[in-house]
Amino acid sequence: MKPHPPKWALLFLRWFCKPDYLEEIEGNLTELFEQQTIKSPVKAKLQFCWNVIRHLRWEYLRGFAFRSSFSRGMTFSYLKTAWRGLIKQRLYSTINIGGLALGLTCFITIFLYIRHELSFDRFHSNAENIYRVYQHNPGYAYLESEYYAFTPAALALTLRDEFPEVSSATITSETNGLFSVGDAFFYESGYWADNHFLRVFDFELLIGNEERALELESGIVLTRSLATKMFGDKDPIGEIVTYRNRWEFEVTAVVQDPPTNSSLQFSFLLSMLANGQFQRDMREDQWGNNDYYTFLEIENLDRASALQKQLPALVSTYVPPNPYFERVYHIQPLTELHLESNFNFDLGLKGSKQYLVLFSMIAIVVLLLACINYMNLAIARSIRRAKEVGLRKVIGAVRHQLVFQFIGESILISLLALLMALVLTHFLLPVFGLWLDRSITFNIFTDPYLIPGLLALVAIVGIISGSYPAFFMSKLIPAEVLKGKLVGSPKGFKIQKWLVTLQYATSIVLIIGSIVIYQQFQFIKGKDLGYEMDRVLVISVFDRELMKKADEFKNEVLTNSNVLSITTTAELPTNVTSGTTIRHLGQSKGEGFNIYRARVDYGYIDVFGIELLAGRDFSLDFTGEDENYIINESAAKELGWSPSEAVGNQIRAHEPKTVIGVVKDFHSHSMHMEIQPLLLMMSGGYFTYIAIKIKGEDMPETIASVEKVFKQYSPYPFDYKFLDQEFDQLYKADLKVGEMFAVFTTLAIVIASLGLFGLAAFTVGQRTKEIGIRKVLGASVSGIVSILARDFLKLVAFGFIVAIPLAIYTMNLWLQGFAYRINVEWWVVALGGLAAMVVAFLTVSLQTIKAAVVNPVISLKDE
Amino acid sequence: MKSNSLGEFEELVLLMVAALHDEAYGVAILQNLEEKVGKKVNISAIHVALKRLETKSFVKSRYGGITTSRGGRRKKFYVITATGKAALDAQYSLRTSIYQQIPNISFGR
């Protein structure tokens, strides 16, 4: 038997070696082996293996063909053909680049937004080490959440002094009010803060001493912009400002304005020591009044988790037991603050994780739609480029060169699209930011990661969208193409049809979604709220002086004959957020239930048009109204009474009080929530709003006269709204989702139609002769159009079938969030499908009608 | 473009291709070279040298017929080209001219 070289070594050689060289190398190695094996078979085998290994050089490896295909001349030729293609087929190029640019703009904008959201509070140099304390009261839900951002006054101090894990702790609370400097007034909002605030947080100190800034009881720290506003270029240190017309503060320091991505937004910091409430709480009720935010600095994660374990012990050691709820404290990193939306009374601008997820999904979907579009158009265009490919192949282009050419071309087009997208983004970003209440900045030159990131994006988009056309085109057989046989039987374009179906399915889901969202809002707006929103003017009041003179103010406003009624209140009926617990007289402290509480005044029911079911309203004709409650139907039901039974009975929160009236249930929260038990009580002179019901005539004049009266009573700004604006505010987040849906639905349809347009152009081009023959044989224009359109409408119909369950499922999911909601109706689904069908038909018609009216002499003439 | 220089080993291989004329293929070159130089040479070195010579177009190649030996693989024969010959001539004349400049020294026996 003839000896054979070691099999695996031979296979290995054949595997790695380029076929061009394999013949020679394998032959020579085998010959050497055959000669040597006569002398010593073992040595021959070893020598053969060694020789194979010695041939492992990069120039012999498969896949390293750069030298042959990367010549400068060829690259130039690719660029030239790509450019000529773009110029020659302007319509295609515009659709292509425009579609991709739209997708990219959308993607970049959303990316910048998400990056901004994730950057919140990370500018503090020690951001990782800052934590806040929050409180969990199990079983004590408020606005559907048991978590509270508020903590008691003594917590920060106790943590700082008694727990070695805590390096520093600060206590702060929000405040706003009017400052006066000389004759000038400034309405500003900021924080009370203790002297550890500037140590825990990293707000850059411009002038003054960080240690001492808030140590002084009368110290105030201004931000740069407020300091400039108040004092101009003058050195503000040591200047005196008056807060709320009463307290004098001395400016001790100036800090840089908080950046836009800070949860803590303020224009001043007042020394906590001057806060009367805080002083009282520290003296009398260290753990009872939860009114403060506590922030900690903890050096590392181990210490943080050690502290977390000790917090239950802190509660049992220091905190006096509370009969209504138990409390559990937790710490949470500052960096999570912005996206934490589940807390009551939390501070700062809030982002939403759901938004971020939704937005990223939209970004990816729109970009993919645009890529699909590119693929479709590129395949459609291939009909015209088939001959180019054939010729290139005949001259000697190998497949990977063509793949390289087409992917390169799509990267080039993506690059052009990127440039367009950058310009678009530049103009759209401010609008988008305004819409989302964010100021997002965008400067590709100052951001070190942006340019490489965008280039990577272009490469990815180019490769995704160019890959299919590239592999498709490089497979063409030159002999057939050059003979003039048209490429691709309908079978070859199956993928293209799938893509169009997918695009339309997405569009239909979006159309149905938009209609459902619109309907739900109409439903909310049209639903009987139980109170009237029309012509109710709401003035926000911060001025305590005005509260004292409320009666005189009311009487003076009422002298205007266009003013129907007026009231003051701490809670508007649109959103009652204050609450307490009540119980029957016989029940003990823990047995009551939570109830929302509106602190009102005479005329509340009248101004807001709330219906009284039994009993009476608060009235000046009676005395001792402070001892009475009005409750709503739900509260009566919860107490086990019918409306008429309830009147005259007593219930207690603290002291027993008498129910004098029962009002019909009204929507005191957004429609996301069921109507909850509610009580109305006299506010005892405290209020935050003045609500005025006015006549429909001469509204601007009425408002002007009210403003005039207001200015006589208060130096504060006249800040007014209509109640329906306040109402819209409740659904701001939902409205944004709705608007977003509308925008992206339009975008998706535009992109899908571009894709279909391309496909139609291609098919019509392919069937020119068929159309000509049909016409010769007597077919009518409408007959031909319907034959051509039928195929496309089939695709859309199929997309519709796919879209139905998807749309119904997702929209029901969204509607679950509302306690009061509509159902997704069949005709809405049908309408979505029909709309897509109409758009598709119109798109296709553009091409088909053009083809159908052509004189057959022209279409049959060529060759 | 890289200058068409000729390395020492390349020169040897090229000389051998020229010497063997129509019979120059990998194994033959290897064995003749080993015999002349008196040292072991690895076949991969020959292959690399041949490939480089071919890209510099100092040699051209053709395949021989199929035989039963060599695992059925054809031999690849190399022939020196005019450029290759010119390069060898240039190399030779350069060496000779310098050699002739050497003063007539004799090393004592």
Side-chain angles (χ1 to χ4, degrees):
Chain A
M1 207 191 94
K2 228 177 150 186
H4 286 291
K7 210 168 187 177
W8 65 265
L10 195 61
L11 287 176
F12 179 61
L13 177 74
R14 286 178 187 164
W15 175 73
F16 78 73
C17 189
K18 252 183 231 170
D20 291 0
Y21 302 112
L22 186 66
E23 184 87 22
E24 181 189 11
I25 293 172
E26 195 190 318
N28 285 343
L29 292 192
T30 313
E31 189 179 333
L32 281 173
F33 171 79
E34 281 165 355
Q35 288 175 9
Q36 228 170 1
T37 202
I38 304 165
K39 287 180 238 159
S40 155
V42 181
K43 218 174 154 195
K45 277 185 182 169
L46 284 175
Q47 184 66 43
F48 185 85
C49 294
W50 175 238
N51 282 345
V52 167
I53 292 166
R54 285 295 295 264
H55 279 88
L56 257 176
R57 305 174 63 105
W58 72 267
E59 58 249 69
Y60 294 133
L61 291 189
R62 278 171 197 267
F64 280 88
F66 298 132
R67 272 172 194 237
S68 52
S69 63
F70 255 96
S71 79
R72 213 183 304 165
M74 278 323 279
T75 314
F76 186 67
S77 147
Y78 296 151
L79 278 176
K80 203 154 81 178
T81 9
W83 180 248
R84 281 180 186 159
L86 285 179
I87 295 296
K88 205 169 162 194
Q89 308 203 335
R90 285 205 185 91
L91 179 67
Y92 279 115
S93 319
T94 318
I95 292 177
N96 247 340
I97 298 176
L100 266 182
L102 272 183
L104 280 172
T105 307
C106 186
F107 189 87
I108 295 170
T109 311
I110 290 176
F111 167 77
L112 289 172
Y113 165 68
I114 289 174
R115 200 178 62 156
H116 180 77
E117 289 296 285
L118 295 180
S119 76
F120 257 76
D121 295 317
R122 288 185 195 273
F123 64 91
H124 299 287
S125 57
N126 54 342
E128 254 81 79
N129 297 334
I130 306 178
Y131 294 79
R132 64 99 163 255
V133 185
Y134 66 88
Q135 186 169 329
H136 179 202
N137 299 341
Y140 189 79
Y142 174 70
L143 291 178
E144 301 188 327
S145 162
E146 294 175 348
Y147 296 89
Y148 300 82
F150 274 156
T151 55
L155 184 66
L157 204 68
T158 311
L159 284 169
R160 191 160 63 211
D161 292 345
E162 310 291 334
F163 292 82
E165 288 86 358
V166 178
S167 349
S168 186
T170 182
I171 179 168
T172 172
S173 70
E174 282 173 307
T175 180
N176 50 46
L178 200 70
F179 285 96
S180 48
V181 180
D183 302 336
F185 291 97
F186 306 91
Y187 184 76
E188 298 290 335
S189 54
Y191 292 108
W192 298 101
D194 69 359
N195 57 344
H196 289 257
F197 186 88
L198 291 174
R199 272 174 246 165
V200 172
F201 295 112
D202 202 4
F203 293 108
E204 192 193 338
L205 203 70
L206 298 174
I207 330 173
N209 183 326
E210 177 187 291
E211 303 286 314
R212 294 188 15 83
L214 293 164
E215 208 151 301
L216 210 62
E217 188 174 326
S218 59
I220 180 171
V221 175
L222 302 179
T223 58
R224 177 147 80 171
S225 55
L226 183 59
T228 318
K229 217 156 80 179
M230 283 177 166
F231 303 105
D233 295 333
K234 219 165 65 180
D235 180 10
I237 300 292
E239 294 288 331
I240 302 293
V241 296
T242 313
Y243 187 50
R244 292 184 171 168
N245 279 329
R246 257 197 284 182
W247 299 289
E248 293 197 334
F249 286 95
E250 183 191 333
V251 179
T252 52
V254 175
V255 293
Q256 190 65 271
D257 291 25
T260 52
N261 56 356
S262 169
S263 286
L264 293 141
Q265 291 291 341
F266 55 88
S267 56
F268 63 86
L269 300 168
L270 291 173
S271 173
M272 187 57 113
L273 301 172
N275 183 340
Q277 178 74 42
F278 179 70
Q279 290 166 2
R280 215 165 24 254
D281 285 343
M282 286 309 282
R283 261 200 321 272
E284 296 157 14
D285 196 12
Q286 294 198 334
W287 297 95
N289 190 14
N290 292 303
D291 225 355
Y292 308 93
Y293 302 106
T294 305
F295 290 92
L296 311 176
E297 191 181 17
I298 304 172
E299 253 168 40
N300 55 44
L301 266 179
D302 295 340
R303 289 190 169 193
S305 55
L307 178 70
Q308 177 63 61
K309 288 199 193 90
Q310 292 180 50
L311 287 175
L314 176 144
V315 175
S316 55
T317 320
Y318 295 96
V319 184
N322 180 313
Y324 295 105
F325 50 80
E326 63 170 305
R327 36 183 143 189
V328 186
Y329 289 111
H330 297 278
I331 56 174
Q332 180 183 35
L334 176 70
T335 45
E336 288 174 16
L337 195 68
H338 177 63
L339 292 177
E340 179 60 70
S341 51
N342 196 26
F343 286 22
N344 286 312
F345 315 115
D346 210 350
L347 45 68
L349 272 174
K350 285 294 159 200
S352 143
K353 277 178 211 160
Q354 285 96 321
Y355 256 44
L356 294 192
V357 172
L358 194 66
F359 270 118
S360 354
M361 266 161 44
I362 285 175
I364 291 167
V365 166
V366 171
L367 193 59
L368 271 182
L369 284 181
C371 286
I372 289 177
N373 223 21
Y374 178 88
M375 277 191 222
N376 270 344
L377 291 170
I379 297 172
R381 240 171 49 137
S382 64
I383 186 176
R384 301 179 192 238
R385 297 192 63 179
K387 286 203 174 138
E388 179 197 331
V389 173
L391 202 61
R392 278 185 191 277
K393 279 200 162 183
V394 166
I395 290 174
V398 286
R399 197 165 166 204
H400 69 249
Q401 277 176 308
L402 289 166
V403 170
F404 166 76
Q405 180 193 350
F406 284 105
I407 289 185
E409 217 165 272
S410 77
I411 291 179
L412 188 78
I413 285 176
S414 321
L415 204 62
L416 289 175
L418 176 73
L419 293 180
M420 216 161 121
L422 287 179
V423 175
L424 276 174
T425 309
H426 178 77
F427 290 109
L428 277 178
L429 204 61
V431 182
F432 187 67
L434 202 67
W435 182 60
L436 287 163
D437 289 330
R438 297 284 189 274
S439 58
I440 306 167
T441 51
F442 172 55
N443 188 340
I444 54 169
F445 302 108
T446 55
D447 195 324
Y449 299 110
L450 219 46
I451 289 182
L454 289 173
L455 290 180
L457 180 69
V458 159
I460 292 168
V461 166
I463 288 168
I464 290 178
S465 51
S467 55
Y468 183 73
F471 287 108
F472 174 82
M473 294 294 279
S474 60
K475 236 176 11 198
L476 297 176
I477 299 158
E480 288 182 5
V481 177
L482 292 178
K483 250 191 274 167
K485 189 178 168 192
L486 286 172
V487 276
S489 55
K491 215 165 107 196
F493 287 88
K494 234 179 194 167
I495 271 225
Q496 216 181 352
K497 290 184 174 168
W498 276 108
L499 294 177
V500 169
T501 309
L502 189 73
Q503 281 185 320
Y504 267 88
T506 320
S507 308
I508 292 170
V509 170
L510 286 169
I511 296 174
I512 296 174
S514 300
I515 302 176
V516 171
I517 292 174
Y518 177 76
Q519 274 189 314
Q520 172 69 17
F521 281 120
Q522 289 306 309
F523 171 75
I524 290 173
K525 285 213 162 152
K527 193 161 168 31
D528 180 17
L529 293 164
Y531 58 86
E532 286 167 15
M533 286 195 298
D534 297 343
R535 294 177 283 118
V536 178
L537 192 67
V538 177
I539 308 165
S540 303
V541 178
F542 311 99
D543 187 356
R544 283 172 191 272
E545 297 304 308
L546 179 61
M547 292 178 198
K548 289 180 193 154
K549 292 178 282 185
D551 289 336
E552 295 160 51
F553 175 78
K554 282 200 245 176
N555 288 332
E556 192 161 346
V557 171
L558 277 172
T559 55
N560 187 328
S561 62
N562 279 330
V563 172
L564 294 172
S565 51
I566 182 167
T567 189
T568 60
T569 177
E571 273 86 24
L572 293 175
T574 46
N575 200 12
V576 178
T577 56
S578 167
T580 182
T581 49
I582 58 159
R583 58 202 151 100
H584 284 290
L585 288 187
Q587 285 176 318
S588 63
K589 265 192 162 182
E591 287 179 278
F593 61 91
N594 296 334
I595 190 164
Y596 288 92
R597 176 186 63 170
R599 289 158 293 174
V600 304
D601 201 6
Y602 305 109
Y604 187 83
I605 289 178
D606 198 25
V607 168
F608 295 112
I610 297 164
E611 195 184 327
L612 204 57
L613 291 177
R616 60 175 182 85
D617 187 7
F618 297 117
S619 161
L620 280 167
D621 303 339
F622 294 82
T623 51
E625 293 287 49
D626 287 346
E627 299 304 309
N628 297 332
Y629 284 146
I630 294 173
I631 59 175
N632 71 354
E633 253 180 301
S634 300
K637 209 165 147 199
E638 187 81 25
L639 288 160
W641 293 323
S642 75
S644 49
E645 277 167 9
V647 175
N649 270 310
Q650 288 205 315
I651 49 174
R652 66 191 299 170
H654 300 286
E655 298 303 310
K657 292 189 181 182
T658 312
V659 177
I660 56 162
V662 178
V663 291
K664 198 169 175 220
D665 275 347
F666 63 89
H667 286 275
S668 51
H669 295 99
S670 79
M671 297 276 177
H672 288 285
M673 270 170 84
E674 298 266 1
I675 293 179
Q676 304 286 324
L678 174 82
L679 68 79
L680 309 180
M681 59 183 278
M682 291 295 283
S683 67
Y686 171 78
F687 59 86
T688 49
Y689 300 102
I690 299 171
I692 305 168
K693 178 89 173 179
I694 57 178
K695 277 189 189 160
E697 301 111 46
D698 306 325
M699 291 218 299
E701 276 158 55
T702 315
I703 294 168
S705 89
V706 172
E707 178 170 7
K708 222 172 103 192
V709 179
F710 185 88
K711 285 284 172 215
Q712 287 166 17
Y713 280 83
S714 174
Y716 279 60
F718 181 68
D719 178 13
Y720 78 95
K721 269 186 195 150
F722 281 97
L723 192 60
D724 45 5
Q725 289 171 303
E726 197 72 39
F727 175 80
D728 288 342
Q729 196 72 19
L730 277 181
Y731 303 101
K732 216 170 121 194
D734 300 309
L735 277 171
K736 290 209 164 139
V737 174
E739 286 166 11
M740 196 169 70
F741 249 78
V743 169
F744 290 115
T745 306
T746 319
L747 212 61
I749 292 177
V750 168
I751 290 176
S753 303
L754 289 180
L756 191 64
F757 184 79
L759 190 61
F762 165 72
T763 316
V764 168
Q766 211 182 20
R767 292 170 73 173
T768 316
K769 289 217 174 106
E770 178 196 327
I771 295 165
I773 293 166
R774 277 180 193 278
K775 282 195 88 172
V776 169
L777 295 177
S780 66
V781 170
S782 61
I784 288 172
V785 169
S786 80
I787 285 172
L788 289 172
R790 206 184 295 149
D791 284 348
F792 296 107
L793 295 186
K794 255 191 248 164
L795 297 182
V796 179
F798 193 66
F800 179 46
I801 293 168
V802 177
I804 292 173
L806 208 64
I808 293 181
Y809 175 75
T810 47
M811 287 333 286
N812 274 328
L813 214 61
W814 181 74
L815 287 170
Q816 294 298 321
F818 288 89
Y820 302 90
R821 57 179 178 255
I822 54 164
N823 290 318
V824 180
E825 280 168 272
W826 69 267
W827 67 264
V828 172
V829 177
L831 188 66
L834 193 71
M837 212 67 108
V838 169
V839 172
F841 183 74
L842 290 177
T843 315
V844 173
S845 302
L846 280 181
Q847 289 290 326
T848 48
I849 292 175
K850 206 164 80 186
V853 294
V854 167
N855 191 335
V857 173
I858 294 166
S859 54
L860 292 176
K861 188 179 65 181
D862 82 332
E863 277 174 32
Chain B
M1 202 81 185
K2 233 170 82 178
S3 75
N4 286 344
S5 63
L6 210 50
E8 191 204 359
F9 189 72
E10 277 173 42
E11 191 185 351
L12 280 176
V13 173
L14 185 58
L15 280 167
M16 195 49 79
V17 168
L20 290 171
H21 198 54
D22 232 9
E23 289 301 320
Y25 75 99
V27 178
I29 298 170
L30 174 79
Q31 285 166 348
N32 282 294
L33 212 56
E34 280 179 348
E35 200 179 304
K36 290 269 181 211
V37 182
K39 268 200 301 193
K40 277 275 170 203
V41 178
N42 191 281
I43 182 77
S44 75
I46 307 279
H47 286 149
V48 173
L50 284 171
K51 185 168 173 287
R52 289 183 187 159
L53 289 172
E54 194 167 15
T55 44
K56 288 177 204 166
S57 50
F58 287 164
V59 295
K60 56 185 182 184
S61 64
R62 63 173 174 86
Y63 282 109
I66 296 172
T67 56
T68 47
S69 64
R70 290 170 61 90
R73 297 289 181 180
R74 291 171 298 172
K75 287 178 183 170
K76 196 176 189 185
F77 290 109
Y78 291 85
V79 193
I80 189 164
T81 61
T83 340
K85 183 68 176 32
L88 274 184
D89 290 347
Q91 198 96 328
Y92 182 72
S93 64
L94 173 70
R95 298 215 170 153
T96 339
S97 75
I98 299 173
Y99 186 83
Q100 273 157 8
Q101 283 180 23
I102 300 173
N104 205 358
I105 329 165
S106 64
F107 294 92
R109 297 172 175 253

